[in-house]
């Protein structure tokens, strides 16, 4: 197990303990998988890293145009969330394809298939990269419903106290099924 993954998990669990709490429901299957989650807050990644087992050394696909726009932000992203850049304006599929080796090492990869944060809590259309990544590595897709992160850290808002719930849903083999599962749990 990576010391970095353990430290990240401890950091984010501590942060949520101080900001209203973290509840985790369901469980992740054993071994590598692609986690797809709804996305409405920068707190989403922290919640996932607090909930995911450190032994699976989770890594997060992050928007290259934002998180890797300068060296300081890239260092923060790599250090605090084990992020790797994925282009949103073309080329993202190739960036995700390059991450197959991480899954082959037994790791978990987090992808936000909407490509950006939701402003109204509804789950938007999914891009296909997460499905191609899972298929190329022969691993399942695990939908994860995040609730409360938009209250902890709203888009363009200030940090607040609120309970965050991370719900691991049953693994699926296609993004359409993941989208249906996450859409049922949409937050308003």
């Amino acid at each position: 197990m990576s010391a970095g993954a353990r430290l990240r998990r401890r950091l984010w669990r501590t942060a949520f303990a101080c900001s209203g709490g973290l509840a985790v429901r369901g469980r992740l299957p054993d071994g590598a998988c692609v986690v797809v989650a709804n996305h409405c807050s920068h707190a989403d990644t922290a919640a996932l890293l607090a909930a995911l087992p450190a032994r699976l050394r989770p890594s997060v696909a992050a928007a290259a145009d934002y998180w890797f726009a300068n060296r300081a932000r890239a260092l923060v992203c790599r250090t605090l969330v084990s992020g790797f850049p994925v282009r949103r304006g073309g080329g993202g599929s190739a960036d995700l394809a390059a991450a197959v080796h991480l899954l082959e090492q037994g790791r978990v990869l987090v992808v936000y298939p909407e490509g950006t944060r939701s402003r109204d809590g509804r789950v938007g259309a999914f891009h296909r990269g997460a499905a191609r990544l899972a298929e190329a590595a022969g691993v399942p897709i695990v939908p994860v419903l995040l609730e409360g992160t938009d209250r902890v850290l709203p888009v363009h808002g200030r940090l607040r106290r609120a309970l965050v719930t991370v719900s691991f849903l049953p693994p699926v083999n296609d993004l359409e099924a993941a989208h249906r599962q996450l859409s049922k749990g949409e937050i308003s």
Side-chain angles (χ1 to χ4, degrees), residues 46-97:
L48 281 167
L49 292 176
L52 288 165
R55 66 180 165 72
L56 294 174
R57 297 171 299 149
S59 197
V60 180
D65 60 312
Y66 181 81
W67 289 107
F68 293 87
N70 63 57
R71 290 173 55 182
R73 200 177 287 163
L75 178 63
V76 166
C77 185
R78 284 189 177 101
T79 303
L80 295 181
V81 302
S82 186
F84 64 94
V86 175
R87 293 169 282 179
R88 293 190 284 188
S93 288
D95 297 336
L96 287 172

Side-chain angles (χ1 to χ4, degrees), residues 110-187:
V110 175
V111 178
Y112 297 106
E114 296 167 275
T116 191
R117 290 172 291 162
S118 171
R119 300 303 197 246
D120 62 7
R122 286 185 281 198
V123 178
F126 281 3
H127 297 276
R128 305 276 324 140
R132 286 195 282 278
L133 175 61
E135 185 177 335
V139 300
I141 297 169
V142 178
V144 179
L145 180 63
L146 302 170
E147 298 172 284
T149 55
D150 59 328
R151 289 186 296 279
V152 168
L153 187 59
V155 174
H156 306 300
R158 292 178 177 224
L159 192 61
R160 300 180 184 143
R161 291 182 56 79
L163 174 66
V164 169
T165 303
V166 177
S167 299
F168 293 102
L169 304 175
V172 296
N173 291 318
D174 63 84
L175 272 182
E176 291 77 20
H179 191 274
R180 281 191 304 275
Q181 285 187 8
L182 292 175
S183 294
K184 287 179 188 176
E186 286 177 351
I187 37 184

Side-chain angles (χ1 to χ4, degrees), residues 5-6 13 18 21 26 29 34-36 38 43 59-60 64 80 85 96 105 107 132 164 170 175 177-178 188:
R6 283 194 317 268
R13 282 186 167 258
C18 295
V34 175
V35 165
V36 295
N38 57 305
S59 197
V60 180
L80 295 181
L96 287 172
Q105 295 170 7
R107 296 177 67 174
R132 286 195 282 278
V164 169
L175 272 182
S188 50

